Amino acid sequence: MALDSLRKDETLAMRRRLIGQSCRLFYSDDPVKIVRARGQYLYDETGKRYLDCISNVQHVGHCHPDITKAAAAQMDILNTNSRFLHDNIVLYADRLAATLPKKLGVFYFVNSGSEANDLALRLAQQYTQHEDVIVLDHAYHGHLVSLIDISPYKFRKLAGQKEWVHVAPLPDTYRGTYQEDHPNPGQAYADTVKDLIEDVHRKGRKVAAFFAESLPSVGGQVILPQGYSAKVAEYVRSAGGVFVADEVQTGFGRVGSHFWAFELQGEGFCPDIVTMGKPMGNGHPLACVATTAEIAGSFTANGVEYFNTFGGNPVSCAIGMAVLDVIEKEDLRGNATRVGVHLKNLLTQLKSRHQIIGDVRGVGLFVGIELVTDRNRKIPATKAAAWVVKRLKEEDQICVSTDGPWESVVKFKPPMCFSIKDAELVVQCIDRILSDKETIDLKLENEDI
Ligand code: PMP
């Protein structure tokens, strides 16, 4: 089978003509045309291989044969909607329930992280009969109108902040108000949410939900300080609201030690609603909301049916179960822990040699390095970060990307089969690029901004 039918320049020209230009390409100056993939590798139309450090959707590896087989087998038998009684949806829900605290035992299947968060918002508002939402600064929760409204990362560039949305500071212990040297940053940042709730009440409004990623990713691969989530949950619940953990990027064992990133906050913390997406279907559009029987009960009690044409269909659920099987069979959580620790150690060693690395942070295969032009003043080295991304692609065929409010965090969220050798190669290449005079010059140039 031919892997592509058009020359790269033809594909590009058609894309420019036919596809909305706000749908951006990676490496827009010189996009890569990827025609096949396997494991952690992508191949372009000339057969050139790229090491993929950013596809967190292809969680168990690109085109994993077990996933392909499960999908094809179920497609060959039956694919209908969830109004017909079928085993797969309940068997899959049961498998997911086994990964979550007991109280999160009711599931709604949808097709994208955005749909999951939109439904979480509806559930929270229905259950609490309140309207307002507290979100973290720089957060992104999806592309639907309702979610642009609760995503400072987007609404700041668009319609602005709605009166029912309140933004809490990002609990970033590297560059936020409370840093590593604070005796209890978890409590201090949680108190900023408490203050915000009091503000909301002063305005005569009521909080329906606090929404946060368990590890803020668009915010710059931030690790929440210990104790933060439990305290916030306490404050939000005493105001009558619920805690929504967005695990769209961070769930399914990416952090290695735990299946869900919210578990990093300790056993004393359990969200009221968990949303999941990206890795669930290894690329197949599959997402979900998990919640309590009580919250789900209030949603049922409004008398309105929830129907989702594709959500929870037998093929999606077969794929979802196959993903869970591979995570277990190949011990991908163990791999994420081992490779993640090694990657972080190597990057930390690089930090001692390169002043431009201000911070190295992460858990499992969720890792970021923040580049700064000046370590004391922590000025974001945005241009240098973009330069590193470009050169890794052009010289080493390694795909990484940037995140954070200033796009100064080089991030790693590779498929979970990423190996020790892959980690060593990437760090070696970053070392070479950061040692290069051109990068050092760029760093200085940034300082003039
Ligand atoms: N939540 C988070 C944290 C995300 O990163 C994203 C997607 N980048 C979404 C929600 C929305 O997911 P989707 O693109 O599948 O709608």
Side-chain angles (χ1 to χ4, degrees):
M1 188 176 68
L3 294 174
D4 60 343
S5 49
L6 302 168
R7 281 197 330 264
K8 184 174 168 181
D9 60 321
E10 292 171 333
T11 316
L12 203 52
M14 286 181 75
R15 168 119 182 178
R16 291 207 173 110
R17 183 160 50 85
L18 295 167
I19 307 299
Q21 289 304 292
S22 45
C23 306
R24 295 203 189 128
L25 287 162
F26 279 136
Y27 312 112
S28 53
D29 293 345
D30 180 24
V32 282
K33 182 174 179 183
I34 298 301
V35 296
R36 70 184 179 91
R38 201 75 166 179
Q40 64 274 51
Y41 299 109
L42 303 162
Y43 297 85
D44 75 6
E45 78 288 5
T46 67
K48 199 192 276 181
R49 190 177 89 168
Y50 290 81
L51 175 62
D52 183 354
C53 302
I54 46 177
S55 290
N56 56 345
V57 172
Q58 285 69 26
H59 192 61
V60 302
H62 289 274
C63 303
H64 193 293
D66 290 11
I67 312 301
T68 314
K69 269 191 213 129
Q74 184 58 50
M75 266 181 149
D76 202 34
I77 298 169
L78 174 76
N79 200 14
T80 55
N81 69 59
S82 63
R83 279 184 177 139
F84 290 104
L85 189 63
H86 192 271
D87 289 347
N88 284 10
I89 191 169
V90 292
L91 292 174
Y92 185 37
D94 199 45
R95 293 279 304 271
L96 289 174
T99 69
L100 284 159
K102 229 187 171 104
K103 83 169 205 188
L104 296 168
V106 182
F107 298 85
Y108 298 87
F109 291 101
V110 297
N111 312 291
S112 68
S114 296
E115 277 189 39
N117 280 331
D118 182 71
L119 179 56
L121 185 59
R122 285 182 65 192
L123 287 166
Q125 290 177 333
Q126 174 73 37
Y127 175 68
T128 62
Q129 292 294 301
H130 298 170
E131 184 185 8
D132 290 21
V133 172
I134 298 177
V135 290
L136 293 181
D137 208 356
H138 307 298
Y140 176 66
H141 293 293
H143 57 76
L144 303 186
V145 173
S146 60
L147 305 171
I148 298 296
D149 282 348
I150 64 163
S151 299
Y153 167 72
K154 291 282 178 194
F155 73 58
R156 293 239 163 84
K157 297 177 198 157
L158 292 165
Q161 190 169 343
K162 297 279 161 62
E163 76 282 4
W164 55 276
V165 177
H166 312 278
V167 180
L170 183 65
D172 174 353
T173 54
Y174 174 63
R175 60 163 71 249
T177 317
Y178 308 110
Q179 303 189 355
E180 282 109 335
D181 56 354
H182 189 281
N184 191 351
Q187 177 72 57
Y189 278 114
D191 285 346
T192 64
V193 176
K194 187 167 167 236
D195 295 344
L196 203 53
I197 293 172
E198 283 164 12
D199 262 5
V200 174
H201 289 168
R202 270 194 292 275
K203 289 177 187 152
R205 309 188 63 93
K206 288 181 177 158
V207 176
F210 172 84
F211 261 76
E213 276 191 275
S214 300
L215 299 170
S217 53
V218 173
Q221 308 288 103
V222 172
I223 311 296
L224 296 179
Q226 276 307 309
Y228 176 76
S229 301
K231 269 287 157 198
V232 169
E234 182 189 319
Y235 298 146
V236 170
R237 285 176 191 143
S238 66
V242 298
F243 192 116
V244 182
D246 180 335
E247 290 268 351
V248 167
Q249 291 219 23
T250 54
F252 292 82
R254 174 148 299 277
V255 301
S257 56
H258 299 85
F259 198 86
W260 301 103
F262 72 75
E263 294 175 284
L264 293 169
Q265 288 280 307
E267 281 177 15
F269 169 65
C270 178
D272 302 296
I273 300 178
V274 173
T275 60
M276 45 191 102
K278 290 181 190 286
M280 268 187 106
N282 213 49
H284 178 84
L286 169 57
C288 180
V289 180
T291 191
T292 64
E294 218 185 330
I295 293 175
S298 76
F299 197 56
T300 309
N302 73 9
V304 179
E305 179 190 6
Y306 180 77
F307 175 62
N308 190 312
T309 301
F310 300 117
N313 70 67
V315 170
S316 297
C317 293
I319 291 172
M321 284 189 273
V323 169
L324 295 178
D325 288 341
V326 177
I327 293 172
E328 281 170 28
K329 197 170 88 184
E330 299 184 5
D331 184 27
L332 293 179
R333 279 176 54 196
N335 189 62
T337 301
R338 286 185 295 275
V339 179
V341 165
H342 192 57
L343 176 63
K344 241 179 87 176
N345 286 343
L346 293 175
L347 290 169
T348 306
Q349 285 166 25
L350 270 199
K351 184 181 163 195
S352 65
R353 291 211 301 284
H354 298 287
Q355 283 296 311
I356 195 170
I357 300 181
D359 194 32
V360 175
R361 53 185 179 252
V363 268
L365 284 173
F366 181 97
V367 173
I369 50 173
E370 178 147 2
L371 303 189
V372 290
T373 61
D374 176 315
R375 274 199 187 165
N376 293 327
R377 290 187 294 157
K378 298 182 179 174
I379 298 170
T382 304
K383 282 189 197 167
W387 177 242
V388 170
V389 171
K390 180 174 153 70
R391 292 198 47 190
L392 279 172
K393 174 233 174 191
E394 286 176 1
E395 294 164 21
D396 306 294
Q397 288 81 52
I398 294 175
C399 297
V400 296
S401 65
T402 56
D403 238 330
W406 300 275
E407 297 293 339
S408 54
V409 180
V410 178
K411 65 177 176 186
F412 303 88
K413 284 180 247 187
M416 298 270 285
C417 49
F418 203 70
S419 71
I420 294 272
K421 245 176 84 187
D422 296 329
E424 288 174 350
L425 175 70
V426 176
V427 175
Q428 227 177 59
C429 296
I430 293 178
D431 190 16
R432 190 196 73 245
I433 293 167
L434 294 185
S435 307
D436 195 285
K437 187 177 170 307
E438 272 183 284
T439 312
I440 296 162
D441 289 350
L442 252 189
K443 184 188 125 181
L444 295 175
E445 190 188 321
N446 249 6
E447 214 162 359
D448 298 330
I449 297 172

